[in-house]
C-alpha cells in the first residue's frame, strides 16, 4: 500500500503545531524523539533519523501498540503526544514485539503488580505459557485458571504471549465464554436436581431412599471395624478437590481434567467415607466426572484434527497479509 500525504503539507505562511512523537524501526528497541506537524513531516524525519535508504521509500507509519496503519492527518492529530510509531520500509511488515510500550497514554506504572507477596503472578504466567504451547488446552483448564487469565491486565498477558492487545482481548473474551458455558451447564443441572427433589417429595422415590439409607448404615458398621480407617487414609485427593466435590452443585465443571481423572480413579468406598456420602451418591458424581473428562478429551481430539487439516491446506498465492488499517472517517 502506498502512503500519500499531500493533504498534510502545510501551506506557505501557515503555522502548524508540532506534535512530539517517538520513532523506531521494526524489531529495534532504540527509540528517537521527534516533533512533527503532519504525517509527511514525520515520514521525512523518520527517513533521516532512522537512516532508511531512499530506495526503500515510501515508508509506512504504524502504531507500535497493535500495528494500526496511520495514513490520515486528521487521525494523526487526534493521537496524544509521545505516541509510539514504527517506521516500516517498503519491503517490511509490522510484527508485534514485547519491546513495544504501546502508546503514551497507557501508563506502565498502572500495570505494575507486586507479585512477591503471593504466587498468583507466577501461577497465571505458567497457565499462560501452557496456553501459548497449545491453545486447545483451554478445554482442560479449571474454572479457577480460566478466571485468573480473564482477570490479568490485557497488556501483561499480551507481553507474556507475545501477541497484540487486540488478539489477547479476543482470547480473554473466548475464555469468558467458556466460563459462561460451564456456569450455564451448572445451572441446568441444578434445575434438574430441584425437579428430582420435587418428585421425591411426592413420594415416588421415598421408599428407595429409605432402603439405600438402611443399606448404607449396615455398610457403615462394617467400615467402622477397620475399613474406614484404611479407606480414609487411602484417599489421595487434594483438599481443593474434596472441597469442590462437597460444595459445588456440579463439581465436574469446576475441576481441571487432571483433577477429574483423579476422582474417577478413586475407590468409591474410600471416597464415600472421605466425603461422608452414601455409595450411590459417590458413584453418581464419579460417573459425571468421567463423562465430563471424556467430553473434554473428545473436544481436544477434534481441535487437533481441525488444526492438522488447516496446516495441510495450502495458502492462496499472493494472498495479502497486511497489517490493520485505521478506519478513516468518510466525512
Amino acid at each position: 500500500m502506498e502512503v500519500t500525504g499531500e493533504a498534510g503539507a502545510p501551506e506557505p505562511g501557515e503555522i502548524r503545531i508540532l506534535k512530539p512523537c517517538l520513532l523506531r524501526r521494526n524489531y529495534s528497541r532504540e527509540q528517537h524523539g521527534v516533533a512533527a506537524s503532519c504525517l509527511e513531516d514525520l515520514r521525512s524525519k523518520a527517513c533521516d533519523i532512522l537512516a532508511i535508504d531512499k530506495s526503500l521509500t515510501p515508508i509506512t507509519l504504524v502504531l507500535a501498540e497493535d500495528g494500526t496503519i496511520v495514513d490520515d492527518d486528521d487521525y494523526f492529530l487526534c493521537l496524544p503526544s509521545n505516541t509510539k510509531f514504527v517506521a516500516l520500509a517498503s519491503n517490511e511488515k509490522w510484527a508485534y514485539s514485547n519491546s513495544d510500550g504501546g502508546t503514551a497514554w497507557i501508563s506502565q506504572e498502572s500495570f505494575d503488580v507486586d507479585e512477591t507477596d503471593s504466587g498468583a503472578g507466577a501461577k497465571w504466567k505458567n497457565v499462560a505459557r501452557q496456553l501459548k504451547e497449545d491453545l486447545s488446552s483451554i478445554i482442560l483448564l479449571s474454572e479457577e485458571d480460566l478466571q485468573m487469565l480473564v482477570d490479568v491486565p490485557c497488556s501483561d498477558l499480551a507481553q507474556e504471549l507475545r501477541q497484540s492487545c487486540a488478539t489477547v482481548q479476543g482470547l480473554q473474551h473466548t475464555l469468558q465464554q467458556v466460563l459462561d458455558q460451564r456456569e450455564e451447564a451448572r445451572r441446568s443441572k441444578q434445575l434438574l436436581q430441584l425437579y428430582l427433589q420435587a418428585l421425591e417429595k411426592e413420594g415416588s422415590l421415598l421408599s428407595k431412599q429409605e432402603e439405600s439409607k438402611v443399606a448404607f448404615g449396615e455398610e457403615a458398621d462394617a467400615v467402622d471395624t477397620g475399613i474406614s480407617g484404611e479407606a480414609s487414609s487411602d484417599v489421595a485427593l487434594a483438599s481443593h478437590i474434596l472441597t469442590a466435590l462437597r460444595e459445588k452443585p456440579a463439581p465436574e465443571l469446576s475441576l481441571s481434567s487432571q483433577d477429574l481423572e483423579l476422582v474417577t480413579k478413586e475407590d468409591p468406598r474410600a471416597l464415600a467415607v472421605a466425603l461422608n456420602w452414601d455409595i450411590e451418591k459417590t458413584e453418581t458424581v464419579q460417573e459425571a466426572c468421567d463423562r465430563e473428562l471424556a467430553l473434554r478429551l473428545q473436544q481436544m481430539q477434534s481441535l487437533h484434527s481441525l488444526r492438522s487439516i488447516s496446516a495441510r491446506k495450502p495458502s492462496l498465492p499472493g494472498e495479502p497479509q497486511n497489517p490493520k488499517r485505521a478506519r478513516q472517517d468518510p466525512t
Side-chain angles (χ1 to χ4, degrees):
M1 178 200 65
E2 185 174 348
V3 181
T4 58
E6 289 80 7
E11 298 292 337
E14 181 183 358
I15 300 177
R16 302 293 294 269
I17 299 176
L18 297 177
K19 179 187 292 292
C21 306
L22 296 175
L23 280 172
R24 69 170 177 83
R25 291 295 300 273
N26 209 16
Y27 303 109
S28 173
R29 292 178 177 270
E30 184 177 343
Q31 296 184 134
H32 299 268
V34 297
S37 60
C38 62
L39 279 175
E40 188 63 29
D41 188 18
L42 185 59
R43 292 191 192 98
S44 176
K45 291 185 177 181
C47 289
D48 296 336
I49 295 175
L50 300 177
I52 299 177
D53 192 271
K54 297 296 183 181
S55 62
L56 301 178
T57 57
I59 66 170
T60 302
L61 296 175
V62 302
L63 297 180
E65 179 190 21
D66 57 8
T68 299
I69 297 177
V70 181
D71 58 357
D72 178 72
D73 269 295
D74 292 333
Y75 183 78
F76 170 74
L77 295 176
C78 292
L79 295 174
S81 300
N82 293 318
T83 296
K84 295 185 178 182
F85 291 91
V86 176
L88 301 176
S90 58
N91 62 343
E92 294 179 340
K93 291 184 178 181
W94 177 84
Y96 178 78
S97 171
N98 60 1
S99 63
D100 299 340
T103 47
W105 68 88
I106 301 179
S107 174
Q108 185 63 32
E109 295 179 356
S110 64
F111 294 144
D112 289 340
V113 180
D114 185 7
E115 297 177 350
T116 59
D117 295 337
S118 65
K123 187 174 181 181
W124 77 257
K125 288 184 178 180
N126 290 334
V127 178
R129 294 189 189 104
Q130 177 184 350
L131 207 59
K132 182 181 178 182
E133 294 175 0
D134 187 3
L135 189 60
S136 60
S137 61
I138 291 177
I139 302 172
L140 306 178
L141 296 179
S142 66
E143 287 184 328
E144 179 184 359
D145 292 340
L146 291 171
Q147 188 63 56
M148 187 164 39
L149 291 179
V150 170
D151 294 337
V152 172
C154 181
S155 61
D156 291 353
L157 189 55
Q159 182 175 355
E160 185 66 29
L161 297 177
R162 297 177 182 268
Q163 297 290 335
S164 66
C165 285
T167 301
V168 170
Q169 286 176 353
L171 174 62
Q172 288 182 314
H173 178 69
T174 301
L175 296 176
Q176 185 61 55
Q177 285 183 324
V178 175
L179 281 172
D180 294 341
Q181 288 172 358
R182 293 191 183 181
E183 179 63 24
E184 184 178 354
R186 180 184 293 107
R187 291 181 178 178
S188 299
K189 290 193 174 185
Q190 284 179 318
L191 290 175
L192 180 59
Q193 289 176 353
L194 291 174
Y195 176 72
L196 293 177
Q197 290 175 3
L199 291 179
E200 289 180 0
K201 290 181 180 180
E202 293 178 1
S204 60
L205 300 178
L206 286 178
S207 59
K208 292 183 179 181
Q209 185 181 16
E210 291 300 326
E211 290 175 1
S212 63
K213 287 182 179 179
V214 172
F216 177 73
E218 294 175 352
E219 292 173 357
D221 293 337
V223 170
D224 292 338
T225 61
I227 300 177
S228 176
E230 180 181 356
S232 60
S233 62
D234 289 342
V235 174
L237 299 181
S239 58
H240 75 276
I241 300 179
L242 295 175
T243 301
L245 292 174
R246 291 192 190 98
E247 298 178 359
K248 297 290 185 180
E252 68 275 9
L253 299 178
S254 302
L255 298 174
S256 66
S257 297
Q258 184 179 4
D259 294 339
L260 291 175
E261 186 175 1
L262 293 175
V263 173
T264 57
K265 290 182 178 180
E266 192 61 61
D267 179 66
R269 292 180 179 274
L271 186 58
V273 173
L275 297 173
N276 196 23
W277 287 354
D278 57 60
I279 294 295
E280 184 180 356
K281 182 177 180 180
T282 303
E283 291 178 343
T284 300
V285 170
Q286 284 185 306
E287 290 174 359
C289 291
D290 185 60
R291 288 193 299 270
E292 178 66 20
L293 179 61
L295 176 61
R296 295 186 189 181
L297 293 178
Q298 184 180 5
Q299 291 174 338
M300 282 283 292
Q301 292 175 356
S302 300
L303 285 175
H304 284 303
S305 299
L306 290 174
R307 182 180 301 169
S308 177
I309 295 173
S310 177
R312 292 197 299 268
K313 182 179 180 181
S315 58
L316 296 176
E319 185 176 0
Q321 304 244 343
N322 295 329
K324 294 186 296 181
R325 173 187 293 275
R327 181 174 295 177
Q328 187 170 345
D329 191 348
T331 59

